[in-house]
Short mmCIF file of all heavy atoms in Angstrom, two decimals:
data_model
loop_
_atom_site.label_atom_id
_atom_site.label_comp_id
_atom_site.label_asym_id
_atom_site.label_seq_id
_atom_site.Cartn_x
_atom_site.Cartn_y
_atom_site.Cartn_z
N GLU A 652 43.11 131.39 77.11
CA GLU A 652 42.23 131.49 75.95
C GLU A 652 40.76 131.33 76.34
O GLU A 652 39.89 132.01 75.80
CB GLU A 652 42.62 130.43 74.89
CG GLU A 652 43.86 130.79 74.12
CD GLU A 652 43.69 132.11 73.40
OE1 GLU A 652 42.88 132.18 72.45
OE2 GLU A 652 44.33 133.10 73.79
N ASN A 653 40.47 130.43 77.27
CA ASN A 653 39.08 130.30 77.71
C ASN A 653 38.60 131.58 78.40
O ASN A 653 37.44 131.98 78.24
CB ASN A 653 38.93 129.09 78.64
CG ASN A 653 38.59 127.83 77.87
OD1 ASN A 653 37.80 127.87 76.92
ND2 ASN A 653 39.18 126.72 78.25
N PHE A 654 39.48 132.22 79.15
CA PHE A 654 39.12 133.51 79.75
C PHE A 654 38.85 134.54 78.66
O PHE A 654 37.83 135.26 78.70
CB PHE A 654 40.26 133.99 80.65
CG PHE A 654 40.09 135.40 81.17
CD1 PHE A 654 39.22 135.65 82.22
CD2 PHE A 654 40.77 136.46 80.60
CE1 PHE A 654 39.04 136.94 82.69
CE2 PHE A 654 40.60 137.75 81.07
CZ PHE A 654 39.74 137.99 82.12
N ARG A 655 39.73 134.62 77.67
CA ARG A 655 39.54 135.59 76.59
C ARG A 655 38.23 135.33 75.84
O ARG A 655 37.49 136.26 75.52
CB ARG A 655 40.72 135.50 75.61
CG ARG A 655 40.69 136.54 74.50
CD ARG A 655 41.81 136.30 73.49
NE ARG A 655 41.62 135.06 72.78
CZ ARG A 655 40.80 134.92 71.74
NH1 ARG A 655 40.08 135.94 71.31
NH2 ARG A 655 40.69 133.75 71.12
N LEU A 656 37.94 134.06 75.59
CA LEU A 656 36.71 133.72 74.87
C LEU A 656 35.47 134.05 75.71
O LEU A 656 34.47 134.53 75.19
CB LEU A 656 36.72 132.24 74.49
CG LEU A 656 37.75 131.84 73.43
CD1 LEU A 656 37.86 130.33 73.32
CD2 LEU A 656 37.39 132.44 72.07
N SER A 657 35.54 133.80 77.02
CA SER A 657 34.40 134.13 77.87
C SER A 657 34.14 135.63 77.89
O SER A 657 32.99 136.08 77.84
CB SER A 657 34.64 133.62 79.30
OG SER A 657 34.62 132.21 79.34
N VAL A 658 35.21 136.42 77.97
CA VAL A 658 35.05 137.87 77.96
C VAL A 658 34.47 138.33 76.62
O VAL A 658 33.56 139.16 76.57
CB VAL A 658 36.40 138.56 78.25
CG1 VAL A 658 36.28 140.07 78.05
CG2 VAL A 658 36.86 138.25 79.66
N ALA A 659 35.01 137.79 75.52
CA ALA A 659 34.51 138.18 74.20
C ALA A 659 33.03 137.82 74.05
O ALA A 659 32.24 138.58 73.47
CB ALA A 659 35.33 137.49 73.11
N LEU A 660 32.64 136.67 74.58
CA LEU A 660 31.24 136.26 74.52
C LEU A 660 30.38 137.17 75.39
O LEU A 660 29.30 137.61 74.98
CB LEU A 660 31.13 134.81 74.98
CG LEU A 660 29.76 134.14 74.83
CD1 LEU A 660 29.37 134.05 73.37
CD2 LEU A 660 29.78 132.75 75.44
N MET A 661 30.85 137.46 76.58
CA MET A 661 30.09 138.32 77.49
C MET A 661 29.93 139.73 76.92
O MET A 661 28.88 140.36 77.06
CB MET A 661 30.81 138.38 78.84
CG MET A 661 29.98 139.00 79.95
SD MET A 661 30.87 139.06 81.50
CE MET A 661 31.86 140.52 81.24
N GLU A 662 30.96 140.20 76.22
CA GLU A 662 30.91 141.54 75.64
C GLU A 662 30.19 141.57 74.30
O GLU A 662 30.00 142.64 73.72
CB GLU A 662 32.32 142.10 75.47
CG GLU A 662 33.03 142.35 76.80
CD GLU A 662 34.46 142.84 76.63
OE1 GLU A 662 35.04 142.68 75.53
OE2 GLU A 662 35.01 143.39 77.59
N GLY A 663 29.82 140.39 73.78
CA GLY A 663 29.10 140.35 72.51
C GLY A 663 29.97 140.38 71.29
O GLY A 663 29.47 140.49 70.17
N ARG A 664 31.29 140.26 71.47
CA ARG A 664 32.18 140.25 70.30
C ARG A 664 32.24 138.88 69.65
O ARG A 664 32.73 138.74 68.53
CB ARG A 664 33.57 140.73 70.71
CG ARG A 664 33.62 142.20 71.08
CD ARG A 664 35.00 142.66 71.51
NE ARG A 664 35.38 142.14 72.80
CZ ARG A 664 36.34 141.24 73.01
NH1 ARG A 664 37.01 140.77 71.99
NH2 ARG A 664 36.64 140.84 74.23
N LEU A 665 31.78 137.86 70.33
CA LEU A 665 31.63 136.52 69.77
C LEU A 665 30.22 136.05 70.07
O LEU A 665 29.68 136.34 71.14
CB LEU A 665 32.60 135.53 70.43
CG LEU A 665 34.03 135.40 69.92
CD1 LEU A 665 34.74 134.29 70.69
CD2 LEU A 665 34.08 135.09 68.44
N ASP A 666 29.60 135.33 69.13
CA ASP A 666 28.32 134.71 69.46
C ASP A 666 28.56 133.31 69.99
O ASP A 666 29.69 132.80 70.00
CB ASP A 666 27.37 134.73 68.26
CG ASP A 666 27.87 133.89 67.09
OD1 ASP A 666 28.70 132.99 67.29
OD2 ASP A 666 27.40 134.13 65.96
N VAL A 667 27.50 132.66 70.45
CA VAL A 667 27.67 131.38 71.14
C VAL A 667 28.19 130.30 70.19
O VAL A 667 28.93 129.40 70.61
CB VAL A 667 26.32 130.96 71.79
CG1 VAL A 667 25.29 130.58 70.75
CG2 VAL A 667 26.54 129.85 72.81
N ASP A 668 27.83 130.37 68.90
CA ASP A 668 28.34 129.39 67.94
C ASP A 668 29.84 129.53 67.74
O ASP A 668 30.60 128.55 67.79
CB ASP A 668 27.62 129.53 66.60
CG ASP A 668 26.15 129.17 66.68
OD1 ASP A 668 25.77 128.43 67.61
OD2 ASP A 668 25.38 129.64 65.83
N ALA A 669 30.28 130.78 67.51
CA ALA A 669 31.71 131.02 67.29
C ALA A 669 32.51 130.68 68.54
O ALA A 669 33.62 130.13 68.46
CB ALA A 669 31.94 132.46 66.87
N ALA A 670 31.97 131.01 69.71
CA ALA A 670 32.69 130.70 70.95
C ALA A 670 32.80 129.20 71.15
O ALA A 670 33.86 128.69 71.55
CB ALA A 670 31.96 131.33 72.14
N GLY A 671 31.73 128.45 70.85
CA GLY A 671 31.78 127.00 70.97
C GLY A 671 32.81 126.40 70.04
O GLY A 671 33.56 125.47 70.42
N GLU A 672 32.86 126.89 68.82
CA GLU A 672 33.85 126.38 67.87
C GLU A 672 35.27 126.71 68.33
O GLU A 672 36.18 125.88 68.23
CB GLU A 672 33.58 126.98 66.49
CG GLU A 672 32.31 126.46 65.84
CD GLU A 672 31.93 127.22 64.59
OE1 GLU A 672 32.68 128.16 64.23
OE2 GLU A 672 30.90 126.89 63.98
N ALA A 673 35.46 127.93 68.86
CA ALA A 673 36.80 128.32 69.30
C ALA A 673 37.24 127.51 70.52
O ALA A 673 38.39 127.07 70.61
CB ALA A 673 36.82 129.81 69.62
N ARG A 674 36.34 127.30 71.48
CA ARG A 674 36.70 126.49 72.65
C ARG A 674 37.03 125.06 72.24
O ARG A 674 37.94 124.43 72.78
CB ARG A 674 35.54 126.49 73.66
CG ARG A 674 35.28 127.80 74.36
CD ARG A 674 34.33 127.57 75.53
NE ARG A 674 33.65 128.77 75.97
CZ ARG A 674 34.14 129.65 76.81
NH1 ARG A 674 35.38 129.49 77.27
NH2 ARG A 674 33.44 130.71 77.19
N SER A 675 36.26 124.53 71.29
CA SER A 675 36.50 123.15 70.85
C SER A 675 37.81 123.04 70.09
O SER A 675 38.55 122.06 70.27
CB SER A 675 35.32 122.68 69.98
OG SER A 675 34.10 122.78 70.69
#
Side-chain angles (χ1 to χ4, degrees):
E652 284 301 292
N653 270 320
F654 172 78
R655 185 186 66 81
L656 291 169
S657 292
V658 172
L660 187 64
M661 192 181 81
E662 294 177 342
R664 291 179 289 111
L665 275 183
D666 64 21
V667 70
D668 294 337
E672 291 170 0
R674 291 193 200 276
S675 303

